């Protein structure tokens, strides 16, 4: 239901309840016109940005990702999202906490700064939705989630494995999940990669559903396999937008031809509606390489789909036991 009218709802919204009616072309930009707040009392989901691209291998620009995803999300913030058919903000209290601050001139301090930012949110009992930033940010984000939930089942959409080898300390968006395995943050036996189309000689025990398998088997089979691998473990969704084909997501740093369509990725995600997710990030949106905001809009849409999954899980009382339970009344 569209309830709110008026502009700059990121600052003026009196309530967290429901979608808004603000024009898409103006006003202060928060994610989906949610109110900016760092008071997490009674909040179900906190959205924030991590504008880092210092760990990028190839083309930079993901530092502009959070702003672009917020801007694109204004197009999605005026009514019930398709095909869910309900307003997630009648079921979930969601705020935008702004962006994580870190000192770009002291790269050795950045991981800890992101982890502190995440722990402030996760330890307050809120579910975290993070807008990247390059994919390195997932490592400190997983560290904060692991501290609360224990070893996580990683559901990674990506063209790349990001488990290549280093000595464990690199600020690198291609090695962070290797660190996550070695430090016990994720359980590879319950983790799965979707859309891979680059070589890595070792899978490290993670189930790999490469782009050809996804294309051949279809969304329902992919979702079934992801559900089987994850089981009832607390799951973390990490969506690298380069899992999408460059035709659907040109605005990214390391595009690889032959990827998923946005429609296919959304269909897979809908098949994961009962996976007990405890957190999500969407990363690697690089607006300088984008065209007509198509990549940013895909990222915003995927994030909104995930919010609808969380909203539906709260309604049904499913999801991981350590997710704070639904308090709002379901219509
Ligand atoms: Mn990645
Ligand atoms: Mn990638």
């Amino acid at each position: 239901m569209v309830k709110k009218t008026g502009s700059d709802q990121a600052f003026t919204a009196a309530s967290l309840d429901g979608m808004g009616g603000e024009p898409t072309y103006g006003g202060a930009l928060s994610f989906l016109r949610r109110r900016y707040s760092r008071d997490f009392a009674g909040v179900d989901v906190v959205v924030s940005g991590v504008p880092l691209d210092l760990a990028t291998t190839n083309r930079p620009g993901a530092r502009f990702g959070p702003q672009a995803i917020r801007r694109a999300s204004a197009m999605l913030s005026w009514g019930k999202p398709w095909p869910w058919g309900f307003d997630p903000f009648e079921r979930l209290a969601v705020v935008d906490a702004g962006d994580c601050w870190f000192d770009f001139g002291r790269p050795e301090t950045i991981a800890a700064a992101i982890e502190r930012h995440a722990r402030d949110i996760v330890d307050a009992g809120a579910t975290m939705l993070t807008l990247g930033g390059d994919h390195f940010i997932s490592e400190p984000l997983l560290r904060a989630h692991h501290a609360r939930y224990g070893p996580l089942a990683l559901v990674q959409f990506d063209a790349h494995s990001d488990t290549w080898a280093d000595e464990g300390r690199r600020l690198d968006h291609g090695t962070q999940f290797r660190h996550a395995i070695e430090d016990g943050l994720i359980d590879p036996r319950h983790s799965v990669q979707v859309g891979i189309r680059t070589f890595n000689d070792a899978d490290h025990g993670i189930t790999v559903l490469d782009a050809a398998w996804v294309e051949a088997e279809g969304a329902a089979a992919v979702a079934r396999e992801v559900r089987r691998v994850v089981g009832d473990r607390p799951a973390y969704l990490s969506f690298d937008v380069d899992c999408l084909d460059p035709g659907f997501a040109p605005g990214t740093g390391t595009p690889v031809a032959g990827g998923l369509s946005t429609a296919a990725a959304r269909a897979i995600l809908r098949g994961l509606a009962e996976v007990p997710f405890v957190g999500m990030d969407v990363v690697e949106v690089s607006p300088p390489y984008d065209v007509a905001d198509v990549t940013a809009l895909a990222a915003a849409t995927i994030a909104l789909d995930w919010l609808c999954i969380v909203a539906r899980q709260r309604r049904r009382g499913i999801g991981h036991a350590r997710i704070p339970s639904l308090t709002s009344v379901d219509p």
Side-chain angles (χ1 to χ4, degrees):
M1 186 188 302
V2 176
K3 293 175 179 171
K4 297 170 192 164
T5 55
S7 62
D8 296 320
Q9 286 163 16
F11 299 111
T12 61
S15 155
L16 299 182
D17 190 41
M19 285 279 194
E22 187 165 353
T24 59
Y25 46 82
L29 290 168
S30 60
F31 185 67
L32 291 165
R33 304 294 196 188
R34 296 301 89 196
R35 192 164 70 197
Y36 274 115
S37 178
R38 289 185 177 169
D39 175 3
F40 305 145
V43 168
D44 298 306
V45 179
V46 174
V47 183
S48 72
V50 181
L52 173 84
D53 63 11
L54 292 173
T56 297
T57 315
N58 192 6
R59 311 191 302 197
R63 66 179 60 186
F64 302 112
Q67 288 181 344
I69 297 168
R70 287 187 178 99
R71 191 169 60 245
S73 78
M75 302 283 276
L76 303 173
S77 62
W78 51 268
K80 293 176 186 175
W82 183 91
W84 299 96
F86 63 85
D87 179 344
F89 305 124
E90 292 179 356
R91 302 176 184 188
L92 288 178
V94 182
V95 298
D96 189 328
D99 288 343
C100 171
W101 187 88
F102 53 83
D103 185 345
F104 68 90
R106 300 187 187 280
E108 72 283 3
T109 67
I110 289 174
I114 297 170
E115 184 180 345
R116 270 196 309 278
H117 170 82
R119 287 192 72 140
D120 282 348
I121 294 168
V122 173
D123 290 350
T127 299
M128 189 173 184
L129 167 57
T130 307
L131 315 176
D134 71 46
H135 214 164
F136 173 78
I137 69 170
S138 296
E139 181 181 334
L141 294 172
L142 284 169
R143 242 175 254 290
H145 284 79
H146 174 266
R148 185 169 179 89
Y149 299 105
L152 297 153
L154 176 69
V155 179
Q156 176 192 355
F157 284 72
D158 207 323
H160 315 88
S161 66
D162 297 352
T163 56
W164 285 285
D166 69 13
E167 86 292 12
R169 292 189 299 276
R170 277 176 67 83
L171 197 68
D172 188 328
H173 73 160
T175 62
Q176 76 279 2
F177 293 132
R178 175 77 161 261
H179 304 172
I181 294 168
E182 289 174 348
D183 292 349
L185 310 180
I186 62 173
D187 182 343
R189 294 166 304 174
H190 293 281
S191 296
V192 56
Q193 296 169 327
V194 178
I196 300 292
R197 49 195 188 278
T198 48
F199 275 111
N200 184 334
D201 290 337
D203 61 22
H204 302 281
I206 296 177
T207 299
V208 180
L209 309 178
D210 70 19
W213 196 89
V214 172
E215 171 93 31
E217 299 296 323
V222 174
R224 196 159 51 238
E225 184 64 2
V226 173
R227 292 196 303 268
R228 185 190 68 74
V229 172
V230 170
D232 60 0
R233 298 300 180 100
Y236 185 91
L237 175 64
S238 191
F239 194 96
D240 183 332
V241 82
D242 71 28
C243 77
L244 302 179
D245 189 83
F248 296 94
T252 193
T254 321
V256 184
L260 281 60
S261 70
T262 310
R266 294 190 69 195
I268 294 167
L269 204 51
R270 288 198 296 276
L272 306 182
E274 304 205 351
V275 168
F277 289 115
V278 297
M280 177 198 181
D281 58 55
V282 55
V283 297
E284 298 284 352
V285 172
S286 179
Y289 297 96
D290 207 359
V291 178
D293 296 339
V294 61
T295 314
L297 183 62
T301 305
I302 293 286
L304 175 55
D305 281 335
W306 186 79
L307 282 175
C308 289
I309 288 174
V310 175
R312 217 182 70 139
Q313 291 185 354
R314 301 298 172 85
R315 175 194 182 195
R316 293 184 171 189
I318 63 170
H320 198 261
R322 278 171 284 185
I323 297 178
S325 62
L326 173 69
T327 52
S328 56
V329 177
D330 190 50

